[in-house]
Amino acid sequence: QVQLVESGGGLVQAGGSLRLSCAASRSILNIRAMGWYRQAPGKQRELVVTVTNGGMTSYVDSVKGRFTISRDIAKNTVYLQMNSLKPEDTAVYYCNAVYGLGSGVEYWGQGTQVTVSS
């Protein structure tokens, strides 16, 4: 079992920045992928960004150029730097991690609220 603990959410004005953190209870050195998803009220959870073990990233179009994912393998932590935030970025953000071979085993964090005021 792997625990993912997110932090860094909060309330920010449009145009502002936040940095989310996701600390894993197991090493992420050989993890298949980690990423961030978000779910706004009344909407389905959507992928924001993922990063593979090899460092390849994939961003949803709506955050390209504004959000950046990074990893600190020594700390088993992945970050999401969010700049130029917009009200439509308001959502609960979830950390996701996939360990293992084949289809892997997927884990989720508890979520952290990000609210962007206009």
Side-chain angles (χ1 to χ4, degrees):
Q1 191 70 11
V2 176
Q3 281 75 48
L4 303 175
V5 179
E6 299 118 332
S7 60
L11 173 64
V12 64
Q13 288 188 333
S17 298
L18 284 173
R19 189 178 79 155
L20 305 182
S21 300
C22 172
S25 61
R26 185 191 296 178
S27 172
I28 64 171
L29 179 62
N30 294 311
I31 197 170
R32 285 192 59 188
M34 288 190 80
W36 292 92
Y37 289 70
R38 66 186 179 186
Q39 188 166 18
K43 294 186 177 182
Q44 291 187 331
R45 189 174 297 188
E46 67 167 350
L47 172 67
V48 177
V49 58
T50 59
V51 57
T52 67
N53 178 263
M56 292 183 62
T57 59
S58 178
Y59 293 86
V60 67
D61 286 346
S62 60
V63 307
K64 287 180 180 177
R66 300 189 297 123
F67 290 11
T68 304
I69 192 169
S70 61
R71 299 174 296 176
D72 186 333
I73 293 176
K75 295 183 178 179
N76 298 329
T77 299
V78 65
Y79 303 97
L80 182 64
Q81 179 66 43
M82 305 185 294
N83 298 327
S84 302
L85 282 161
K86 303 176 181 180
E88 50 264 44
D89 294 318
T90 295
V92 178
Y93 283 71
Y94 296 91
C95 180
N96 172 272
V98 182
Y99 285 83
L101 302 176
S103 59
V105 180
E106 194 171 37
Y107 300 93
W108 293 91
Q110 80 285 356
T112 185
Q113 177 70 46
V114 171
T115 302
V116 184
S117 63
S118 57

